[in-house]
Amino acid sequence: MEKLTRKKQKILCIAAIIIAIIVSVLIFVFVGIPVIHFISEPEKFRAWVEARGIGGKLAFVGVVILQVIVALIPGEPFEIAAGYAFGAVEGTILCIAAATVGSICVFLLVRKFGEKLVEVFFPQKKLRDLRFLKSSPRRDFLFLVIFAVPGTPKDLLSYFAGLTDIRFPVWLLICSFGRIPSVITSTIGGDALGTQNYFFAIAVFVGTLAVSGLGLLAYNAICKRHTSQSDTE
């Protein structure tokens, strides 16, 4: 009976992962791509939000939560659109709140279904690059630093966190406060576009692109260094 129960659990887990793959692809094709296209037209998006009041804000929050869960959908267009439609302060708050809820959902789903679910969105190599976060004595601090640097793959980190033994309250702090630097630069740029301060918007986006590029280089260097150390041990 015990073997049968474990077999059933394995079958259910595989079935859930297959369903997750199918649903994720369908959401990306039929929801993600149209939403990105819609949000890429900021004037229409602002008019749509203003016409719906609080309902427009709730719809935006729901879409951002979906974006975090379905890691195939990029997050930057949503952050810029939030700054354009809601202003820098409110846009940042909405994005942080929605992304935090999405990250919590991801964390709990990965704790439930394990690495197979993560592999739906990310190849094994990217997971191997982050193995040091499972064993490093400075794991929580490294998670926060990497998460806070613009340009690092936050969706990947959100999924990988569920594979570690990091405590939920710690992860909650990391995935909320750690997003602020990257989100606020995008929303400030979007707000500048909304107020037609194009020179400042360009300066913000160019600066953000430069910082994100440096952040990505630093992230790759950290992963490479720790991978090399683990290979020589």
Side-chain angles (χ1 to χ4, degrees), residues 86-148:
F86 307 115
V89 175
E90 188 176 8
T92 298
I93 292 171
L94 290 173
C95 285
I96 294 295
T100 300
V101 173
S103 296
I104 291 171
C105 292
V106 167
F107 183 86
L108 297 176
L109 285 170
V110 174
R111 282 283 169 93
K112 176 69 175 177
F113 296 107
E115 190 168 326
K116 292 298 181 183
L117 177 61
V118 183
E119 291 175 359
V120 171
F121 302 103
F122 304 102
Q124 268 287 339
K125 183 185 181 303
K126 289 190 175 181
L127 300 183
R128 287 197 299 270
D129 290 341
L130 292 174
R131 284 180 301 180
F132 67 92
L133 289 175
K134 284 187 174 182
S135 56
S136 173
R138 299 181 298 163
R139 189 264 316 281
D140 295 352
F141 175 73
L142 285 172
F143 245 122
L144 177 60
V145 170
I146 295 173
F147 213 84

Side-chain angles (χ1 to χ4, degrees), residues 46-57:
R46 175 187 275 179
W48 182 86
V49 168
E50 290 177 349
R52 285 157 181 78
I54 188 66
K57 295 177 182 179

Side-chain angles (χ1 to χ4, degrees), residues 8-208:
K8 285 183 178 180
Q9 289 177 346
K10 187 175 181 180
I11 292 172
L12 286 173
C13 182
I14 293 173
I17 291 170
I18 292 173
I19 292 172
I21 295 172
I22 295 172
V23 170
S24 298
V25 172
L26 291 176
I27 290 174
F28 180 67
V29 173
F30 293 106
V31 178
I33 294 176
V35 166
I36 293 171
H37 178 71
F38 176 53
I39 286 180
S40 66
E41 300 176 325
E43 291 184 5
K44 291 183 179 179
F45 176 65
R46 175 187 275 179
W48 182 86
V49 168
E50 290 177 349
R52 285 157 181 78
I54 188 66
K57 295 177 182 179
L58 292 175
F60 176 79
V61 167
V63 171
V64 174
I65 292 172
L66 177 66
Q67 177 270 318
V68 175
I69 296 174
V70 184
L72 300 171
I73 305 174
E76 288 77 8
F78 297 89
E79 296 164 4
I80 295 171
Y84 190 100
F86 307 115
V89 175
E90 188 176 8
T92 298
I93 292 171
L94 290 173
C95 285
I96 294 295
T100 300
V101 173
S103 296
I104 291 171
C105 292
V106 167
F107 183 86
L108 297 176
L109 285 170
V110 174
R111 282 283 169 93
K112 176 69 175 177
F113 296 107
E115 190 168 326
K116 292 298 181 183
L117 177 61
V118 183
E119 291 175 359
V120 171
F121 302 103
F122 304 102
Q124 268 287 339
K125 183 185 181 303
K126 289 190 175 181
L127 300 183
R128 287 197 299 270
D129 290 341
L130 292 174
R131 284 180 301 180
F132 67 92
L133 289 175
K134 284 187 174 182
S135 56
S136 173
R138 299 181 298 163
R139 189 264 316 281
D140 295 352
F141 175 73
L142 285 172
F143 245 122
L144 177 60
V145 170
I146 295 173
F147 213 84
V149 174
T152 56
K154 292 170 180 55
D155 289 340
L156 170 61
L157 291 166
S158 294
Y159 270 87
F160 189 82
L163 298 176
T164 71
D165 61 356
I166 190 171
R167 293 184 298 116
F168 178 75
V170 174
W171 171 243
L172 182 60
L173 291 173
I174 291 172
C175 71
S176 54
F177 290 101
R179 289 186 184 272
I180 292 176
S182 59
V183 171
I184 199 168
T185 53
S186 296
T187 54
I188 287 175
D191 183 37
L193 288 176
T195 56
Q196 298 183 348
N197 191 347
Y198 299 121
F199 180 80
F200 180 65
I202 291 172
V204 169
F205 290 136
V206 170
T208 301

